[in-house]
Amino acid sequence: MAADVVIVGAGIVGAACARALARAGARVVVLDRGAAAAGTSAHGEGNLLVSDKGPGPELELAKVSLRRWAALADELAGELGPRFPSIEHDAKGGLVVVTSADGLTGLRRFAAAQRASGVEAVEVGADRARELEPDLAPGVLGAVHYPQDAQVQPVAAAEALLASARRAGADVRTGVEVTGPLLGADGELAGVATSRGEIPAGAVVVAAGPWSGEVAERLGSRIAVRPRRGMVLVTSPMPQRIRHKVYDGDYFAATQSAGAELQTSAVVESTRGGTVLIGSSREQVGFDDRLRTEVLAQMARRAVAVFPFLARTNVMRSYLGFRPYMPDHLPVIGPDPVRAGLWFATGHEGAGVGLAPTTGDLVAAQLLGLEPPTDPRPFAADRPSLVEAEPGATRPPAQEVRS
């Protein structure tokens, strides 16, 4: 059966695209070579943040998505009913803390720029910071409180979006790998060949996270997405002592770094189940999934510097995942400039959960000629900042794959 749109990737971004397109009336097929929400979406913390984004296109996307998530939590609960697991939307707010005078000056400057862009960023002194988080380390000099920051359970949220998409007619197929393109008479993409047969389609959306580059090459194009590995520590359940998402002032610099070397910062928050999630790390090592205990140790030391009580807390497990990194730190949301019929929704790095709803709405709007929720131009695959950072990223391989 032909589809209007094939979406490659059943993580949270692919799920959001599927829901938006299916609810707008498109015939949608979602493909994933593994299980749904089993890749990057299953190895993150479910952050919905504005606190870590400076003024610019990503912040604008995040502000729209935060509002969408608040509405989606109610929409999905009402649509799917009480038997479906909650997405655990929690508008807990964020707290960015600093321990040096220089750090405080930099944080103030950053927060002022965010406020000018419409973010709620409330500077608080050391005493007020400890009212918000009583267990903070004595060395914390000040903080900025971000009431808009929130969190969802990422796997539950992705599954809920997919369930909603199915209710709107989407066909979700797992264990199906895309192996090549189906091409039309003029070389346009007209569907995909898969491990389970051919699927004709009017458009193909690659939403395969850090594996999007591999999928793009199979379909006769290129995209500069690369994997950036991150690790998380999970404590044993305990009575909740951490009320917000709390991180140190180095986190923003780590997210924006272009270096391949290890970047760590303290990122600490509680879950509804009583565990504490401790991050974060970033390093470019390809798809190397070997555990590095020195990375976990560095993360633990940084977390204890913010919350000393964690030094007496048992760690239950750790996990790692791969984020889809783009060299100019913006996702790609829109058509491929080389191959007609090929679209992208990828490259969100660690912000995919937060940005997923508006990404899906942007893809649907561009594909179906609807009014976009925000300006799509900054996320184009041939934007100048991406072409300059990664020349040739959108040119086809020398040897095209044909089917």
Side-chain angles (χ1 to χ4, degrees), residues 371-392:
E371 182 69 23
T374 188
D375 186 0
R377 290 173 295 181
F379 312 106
D382 57 354
R383 59 186 181 254
S385 61
L386 184 55
V387 173
E388 291 165 8
E390 198 83 6

Side-chain angles (χ1 to χ4, degrees), residues 82-363:
R83 297 184 64 182
F84 199 93
S86 169
I87 69 169
E88 299 181 16
H89 181 265
D90 186 359
K92 63 172 64 175
L95 192 69
V96 183
V97 301
V98 289
T99 57
S100 69
D102 286 346
L104 188 56
T105 298
L107 181 59
R108 283 172 174 162
R109 187 182 306 117
F110 182 65
Q114 290 177 302
R115 281 193 292 271
S117 295
V119 173
E120 295 179 52
V122 183
E123 184 180 344
V124 297
D127 290 343
R128 174 57 180 156
R130 287 183 181 82
E131 290 177 8
L132 293 169
E133 290 290 346
D135 287 304
L136 282 174
V140 170
L141 297 181
V144 172
H145 179 217
Y146 290 90
Q148 293 165 292
D149 281 358
Q151 184 179 32
V152 294
Q153 208 296 327
V155 174
E159 292 284 10
L161 290 168
L162 286 173
S164 177
R166 287 189 186 97
R167 287 172 60 91
D171 180 5
V172 180
R173 307 178 192 177
T174 56
V176 180
E177 185 166 7
V178 170
T179 58
L182 302 181
L183 300 180
D186 295 324
E188 76 278 8
L189 193 59
V192 292
T194 80
S195 56
R196 296 193 182 179
E198 297 181 346
I199 305 175
V204 178
V205 178
V206 177
W211 298 274
S212 295
E214 175 186 340
V215 176
E217 291 226 7
R218 292 185 183 187
L219 297 178
S221 189
R222 281 188 180 145
I223 188 168
V225 66
R226 296 195 294 269
R228 202 176 192 191
R229 186 173 71 177
M231 296 186 182
V232 175
L233 289 166
V234 185
T235 73
S236 299
M238 66 179 79
Q240 190 172 65
R241 296 177 66 171
I242 300 171
R243 305 169 182 178
H244 304 78
K245 180 183 180 70
V246 181
Y247 57 89
D248 65 30
D250 291 336
Y251 180 69
F252 175 74
T255 64
Q256 297 303 301
S257 168
E261 71 278 3
L262 175 66
Q263 308 273 339
T264 63
S265 55
V267 181
V268 189
E269 62 191 314
S270 296
T271 69
R272 289 190 182 180
T275 60
V276 174
L277 305 180
I278 297 172
S280 72
S281 69
R282 282 172 163 78
E283 54 186 334
Q284 292 186 40
V285 291
F287 286 105
D288 183 350
D289 62 358
R290 290 174 294 182
L291 181 69
R292 290 182 60 196
T293 56
E294 65 270 26
V295 176
L296 300 178
Q298 194 173 130
M299 287 162 45
R301 285 193 296 269
R302 298 197 68 143
V304 168
V306 175
F307 287 108
F309 81 89
L310 290 172
R312 304 181 299 277
T313 301
N314 292 325
V315 171
M316 180 171 63
R317 64 186 178 93
S318 66
Y319 59 88
L320 64 84
F322 300 99
R323 307 176 181 99
Y325 167 85
M326 296 298 295
D328 67 349
H329 303 287
L330 285 176
V332 176
I333 308 168
D336 183 276
V338 174
R339 171 133 292 166
L342 178 61
W343 294 68
F344 294 109
T346 188
H348 301 76
E349 200 175 331
V353 176
L355 302 181
T358 308
T359 296
D361 292 342
L362 266 179
V363 169

Side-chain angles (χ1 to χ4, degrees), residues 10-46:
I12 197 157
V13 171
C17 292
R19 182 180 191 265
L21 284 161
R23 286 168 64 90
R27 294 171 299 168
V28 176
V29 174
V30 182
L31 306 176
D32 200 297
R33 65 183 177 186
T40 300
S41 300
H43 297 91
E45 298 166 324

Side-chain angles (χ1 to χ4, degrees), residues 58-79:
E58 187 183 32
L59 179 58
E60 296 308 307
L61 198 65
K63 290 191 299 182
V64 177
S65 276
L66 269 178
R67 294 192 293 270
R68 287 288 290 119
W69 269 121
L72 272 172
D74 292 333
E75 286 177 25
L76 292 169
E79 182 182 348

